[in-house]
Amino acid sequence: MPGDVTISGAGAWVVLIASVLVLVLIVTIALVSLVVVPRNRRPQSALAWLLLIYILPLIGFLLFLMLGSRRLPKRRRKQQEEINRYILETTEGMDRVSQDGAWPPWLQPIVELNRNLGAMPLVGGNAATVFTDYSASIAAMTEAVQQAERSVYVEFYIMSVDDETEPFFAALDDAVRRGVTVRVLYDHVASLRVRGYRRMRRRLDAIGAQHHPMLPLKPFSGQWQRPDLRNHRKFLIVDGSIGFTGSQNLIERGYGRRRRLDGSRLAWKELMVRFEGPIVAGIEALFATDWYSETDELLLRETVIPLEIDPAEGLDAQVVPSGPAFEGENNLRLFNSLVYAAQHQIQICSPYFVPDESMRYAITTAAQSGLDVQLFVSEIGDQTLVFHAQRSYYEELLRAGVRIWLYRSPTILHAKHFTIDDQVAIIGSSNMDMRSFSLNLEVSVMVRGASIIRELRAIEQSYRENSRELTLDAWLHRPAHMRIFDDLARVTATVQ
């Protein structure tokens, strides 16, 4: 019938116009993406984003608009600049650095690099106690809180009230009753993901502690930022004189996870360090930075009598903050500089090892130059995509001569540290992955001193004794489907 022909013709025109509009939109997205996506972004990240956008134009472009910016809101960046100036004016201990004959010639430029990127000064006259036992670390932090006289500052990526951490919260309660000021920060999303988040907040309210979530998601309050920008730092500062930092979160060692099919339960192995001396002022200043960002309250530093340490035994140390509040990737620049400076040995422990291209070249170049380069990672993973992305680098590392040690299941080797020759160690919250380089707020402490290097060497040996060494021949014979999954995961890891 004529009417049917007319309707069919009209429908065809609608389909044609809609198709043309969709095509124009897709072409526009493609052209705009070619200009916008690569701007100030690593080539591999830009390529990964472009690939996603070209395969799924509308979804990919919307995801890029939501997640493509690595910068914190302008207000937070301005606060970071303000607090950086404050830190530069108030940090002490420069005169206590022991630049003796053993100081390697390559170290001073790295110290200056850190300083120019926003780090605290290198300070001398420090003492450090290393903890590798999970319960012993929490017990030591609890004891420090029990002895607090003026202030307790707590900041952890993940916090939870459970059987393991209950004594610590009880110590906070007692501290408040004694008149001690207790301030607590915890990452909003990370702590929200574990069981007992509301219980933890109610407990802090009951204690009377001042507490705030870090980088809270408030999309309806005019504070938009990509949701996976997180504050990954972990530290405790007591009376401005004792500071703990490292890899451990404030939660029981199994993170509340259920038993696996074989009946075993994952258990995290960590490394925390208790510092005394001028370095604690740098850690406290970093807490002040994060507190100011979340509350607009600037904490004034306490006047603390420096710890008297024999110069021959004291450690030189420098706090290096990093994260999207800084223009440069401070931790990546520091790590690369140290790897290229190494003369004999590089020992790396990182639970999530997904390096960018610069770090990959630095490490493989060191190994191919004949240096003893060893990497400690877990035999199993707690984050599937990251674990498989990490595995995608093993073949290249092994071919370059890197020795890879797989810590035996069911332990997750979550410690984060590495040593360069017998000179310098890095300890902190930062992984060697692109997330820690670009998206997370992290803390790294560069330490120089024979005593702590000896202690870390012994810890590295204990890792070997509880690991199996991965060989190239064994790795090349893994199932083909696992190789494909590893490579696909590697692509997703570069979408930053």
Side-chain angles (χ1 to χ4, degrees):
M1 296 175 63
D4 293 337
V5 173
T6 303
I7 294 172
S8 299
W13 275 107
V14 170
V15 171
L16 178 61
I17 293 172
S19 300
V20 171
L21 290 176
V22 170
L23 180 61
V24 170
L25 178 61
I26 291 174
V27 172
T28 301
I29 288 175
L31 294 176
V32 170
S33 299
L34 278 175
V35 176
V36 175
V37 171
R39 187 177 300 160
N40 298 322
R41 194 178 303 276
R42 294 189 188 90
Q44 65 266 40
S45 295
L47 287 173
W49 272 116
L50 289 173
L51 180 63
L52 176 62
I53 291 171
Y54 289 163
I55 293 175
L56 301 170
L58 297 179
I59 295 175
F61 194 67
L62 287 174
L63 285 174
F64 177 77
L65 292 178
M66 292 175 59
L67 304 176
S69 175
R70 296 176 297 179
R71 304 186 75 183
L72 287 171
K74 184 177 180 180
R75 181 185 67 86
R76 295 186 70 101
R77 297 198 306 272
K78 184 177 180 181
Q79 286 177 319
Q80 183 72 54
E81 294 173 359
E82 293 173 1
I83 202 74
N84 282 351
R85 289 193 295 269
Y86 169 72
I87 290 170
L88 291 174
E89 295 168 358
T90 60
T91 311
E92 302 168 353
M94 291 286 288
D95 57 335
R96 307 181 74 183
V97 175
S98 55
Q99 294 195 37
D100 53 34
W103 185 296
W106 47 260
L107 184 55
Q108 185 59 39
I110 294 176
V111 171
E112 290 301 319
L113 168 69
N114 294 337
R115 190 69 164 145
N116 291 333
L117 292 174
M120 291 65 165
L122 182 74
V123 293
N126 302 287
T129 304
V130 180
F131 295 90
T132 58
D133 182 86
Y134 203 102
S135 297
S137 173
I138 293 179
M141 290 189 286
T142 301
E143 182 181 3
V145 173
Q146 290 169 340
Q147 297 175 358
E149 297 178 353
R150 298 180 302 279
S151 64
V152 174
Y153 297 159
V154 184
E155 179 174 334
F156 284 89
Y157 178 58
I158 295 175
M159 286 184 63
S160 174
V161 180
D162 50 51
D163 292 342
E164 187 107 41
T165 63
E166 171 56 34
F168 182 86
F169 284 90
L172 292 181
D173 195 352
D174 291 339
V176 171
R177 293 177 189 275
R178 294 195 307 271
V180 175
T181 299
V182 175
R183 295 184 171 97
V184 181
L185 294 171
Y186 43 88
D187 185 80
H188 184 205
V189 173
S191 293
L192 184 63
R193 290 184 317 197
V194 300
R195 287 186 295 176
Y197 173 73
R198 290 177 177 81
R199 177 188 173 196
M200 183 265 293
R201 288 180 59 102
R202 289 195 299 267
R203 182 65 182 278
L204 291 174
D205 285 336
I207 288 171
Q210 304 174 46
H211 65 95
H212 297 274
M214 296 182 292
L215 295 174
L217 296 183
K218 298 180 179 179
F220 302 109
S221 301
Q223 297 183 28
W224 171 253
Q225 64 205 22
R226 61 181 288 178
D228 58 342
L229 296 180
R230 308 309 326 149
N231 194 320
H232 194 241
R233 295 166 180 160
K234 299 114 178 169
F235 35 72
L236 166 71
I237 307 101
V238 176
D239 292 339
S241 60
I242 297 173
F244 288 81
T245 192
S247 65
Q248 187 170 344
N249 290 299
L250 199 62
I251 187 173
E252 63 91 14
R253 73 183 64 207
Y255 282 68
R257 299 201 178 194
R258 298 176 181 175
R259 293 188 179 276
R260 302 192 302 162
L261 293 177
D262 62 2
S264 64
R265 188 165 178 258
L266 297 182
W268 271 245
K269 186 170 183 59
E270 309 285 357
L271 186 138
M272 290 290 282
V273 180
R274 180 186 191 270
F275 285 107
E276 293 181 86
I279 191 63
V280 178
I283 301 173
E284 185 180 35
L286 198 49
F287 178 88
T289 298
D290 293 334
W291 186 265
Y292 182 48
S293 295
E294 303 301 346
T295 69
D296 291 327
E297 178 187 4
L298 181 59
L299 303 178
L300 299 179
R301 275 191 54 213
E302 300 181 59
T303 301
V304 179
I305 300 175
L307 180 71
E308 290 298 329
I309 298 176
D310 183 346
E313 297 296 326
L315 304 173
D316 300 327
Q318 185 175 32
V319 175
V320 182
S322 58
F326 294 90
E327 290 298 326
E329 295 165 318
N330 299 0
N331 48 358
L332 174 61
R333 292 173 188 269
L334 167 61
F335 296 170
N336 276 341
S337 296
L338 287 171
V339 169
Y340 279 118
Q343 302 295 305
H344 307 290
Q345 190 177 60
I346 302 168
Q347 309 275 319
I348 300 170
C349 180
S350 179
Y352 313 116
F353 183 83
V354 187
D356 79 329
E357 188 172 6
S358 68
M359 176 107 281
R360 180 167 57 89
Y361 272 111
I363 291 173
T364 54
T365 298
Q368 291 167 337
S369 299
L371 276 65
D372 177 13
V373 182
Q374 301 188 35
L375 172 66
F376 300 94
V377 291
S378 297
E379 186 176 50
I380 55 175
D382 64 306
Q383 297 184 28
T384 302
L385 279 178
V386 176
F387 177 65
H388 284 279
Q390 171 176 292
R391 286 158 47 100
S392 72
Y393 292 91
Y394 288 172
E395 181 178 341
E396 181 180 3
L397 295 172
L398 290 168
R399 288 189 184 280
V402 177
R403 298 180 69 184
I404 300 176
W405 300 90
L406 305 178
Y407 204 96
R408 297 187 185 279
S409 169
T411 299
I412 298 293
L413 182 59
H414 193 250
K416 310 163 198 295
H417 55 91
F418 72 100
T419 51
I420 301 296
D421 298 339
D422 290 323
Q423 298 287 348
V424 172
I426 298 291
I427 298 166
S429 67
S430 181
N431 299 302
M432 277 197 177
D433 70 347
M434 286 180 273
R435 163 161 290 281
S436 284
F437 297 152
S438 302
L439 304 180
N440 289 343
L441 279 73
E442 305 281 7
V443 56
S444 301
V445 182
M446 185 172 72
V447 187
R448 174 187 172 268
S451 59
I452 195 166
I453 296 297
R454 285 195 299 270
E455 196 163 1
L456 289 172
R457 286 281 182 264
I459 291 169
E460 291 161 358
Q461 180 57 32
S462 74
Y463 293 164
R464 293 186 194 92
E465 293 169 358
N466 288 280
S467 302
R468 64 179 178 89
E469 185 171 4
L470 182 64
T471 65
L472 179 60
D473 183 65
W475 188 242
L476 293 178
H477 285 85
R478 75 189 190 279
H481 71 278
M482 295 304 294
R483 182 191 297 268
I484 294 171
F485 192 21
D486 294 343
D487 292 339
L488 288 174
R490 179 170 177 166
V491 173
T492 66
T494 62
V495 180
Q496 300 282 338

